Amino acid sequence: LYFLQETLQSSLKKRPTMSFGAPAPNAGLVGSCTSGTNASAAPNDYSLPQAGNDGISSIIWSPTANHLVSTNWDGGVRCWEVQESGGQIRAMPKAQVNHENNSPVLDSTFSPDGTTVFSVGGDKAVRMWNLAQQPPNGVPQQIGAHDQPIKSVGFLPSSNLIVSGSWDKLLKFWDARQPNPVGQLQLPERCYDLDVRGNSMVVACAGRSILAYNVQGQPQELQNKESPLKFQSRCIAAFPDQTGYAVGSIEGRVGIQYVTKVQGKDSFAFKCHRQDSNVFPVNCICFHKGYGTFATVGGDGVVNFWDKDNKQRLKGFNPIHRTISCASFNEQGNLFAYSSSYDWSKGSGFYAPGTPNEIWVHHVLDEEIKPKKKSSFR
């Protein structure tokens, strides 16, 4: 993520007057995939209104309602109420807050009761937003800090603590009622992504280090290993059953890794997000809670649905005309949100002025995401 860090550092020094950057070479392909022509992955996908003025860094669903929250490089944390009826989707913007000085926001997570959003980013702060209240000056309350920008955040339900992973090579654990961390763990390198699922937490770091923890009570390290993928890790997601994780790299590969031994299941890796001789980063991996299947999105503008247990691709959507930076299934699994936004994989030089940022919501059909009996990926 060298380009991401370089861009963030320059962004913190001087915010551009044009919200989506500066001119770039070959502007027709800037911030987009090389072959897609469609705006959305499926014809009836719904575009959320007011998706922000700069790159979309994360999107998450509330665990208790169809409330969707995005974080953006323009400093905004935005919330929509999404409604679905008979496959038809509508959404209404509900509220927005901004990090101090409009510093880029890189990640967010919900509390288990869906009332509170915790966000992190370039201002090196961990912030808390009660969705029922508008904070003073529209800036969410700071509950923690790191010495460097914070890349990722999660919530530990067993201890009601917030965990933040930073480029200062630390994991810090926060009680929202206290100004100082209740604990911290040293990482081997900068945190690039983390994910929490129940009592399982997985962390992907620079240098291809991956760590797995049991976070029921005092965090216990279960695994500290090098990624099975040969190139830099870009995203990581814990399995819904907490037995392992999926990690994606900048080189169009996903590794399926088990932390707990499962009979008949072995770790493996597969290629994805490639077009002819072009290789694209896997920007996000997200699991469907009900079926344990998962989605990947990438720099090629493609959404793929996969079944790791039967080793097959369930659904490959047509590429859209822009990179997809992040994605998320809602709690029920019938809605899938994904962003159409520059993913920073080519740095600030490929910033495209005036390019819209969009969040699309797809109504997920059972036949698209439910496992099918098959023996190999294709």
Side-chain angles (χ1 to χ4, degrees), residues 303-306 313-317 362 367-369 372:
V303 175
N304 287 314
F305 291 169
W306 306 93
R313 184 169 66 175
L314 298 170
K315 174 80 174 179
F317 293 84
H362 174 73
E367 54 262 34
E368 294 176 334
I369 197 64
K372 306 177 182 71

Side-chain angles (χ1 to χ4, degrees), residues 67-69 77-81 92-96 129 131:
H67 293 157
L68 185 70
V69 165
V77 184
R78 297 170 172 83
C79 180
W80 294 263
E81 181 179 349
M92 177 70 67
K94 298 296 290 183
Q96 176 181 342
W129 175 27
L131 291 177

Side-chain angles (χ1 to χ4, degrees), residues 104-145:
V105 191
L106 300 180
D107 197 22
S108 66
T109 191
F110 267 98
S111 61
D113 62 5
T115 63
T116 307
V117 173
F118 302 92
S119 56
V120 297
D123 58 359
K124 309 175 188 177
V126 181
R127 298 188 178 275
M128 178 176 70
W129 175 27
N130 185 326
L131 291 177
Q133 302 172 3
Q134 185 66 10
N137 301 318
V139 177
Q141 176 188 351
Q142 180 173 341
I143 63 167

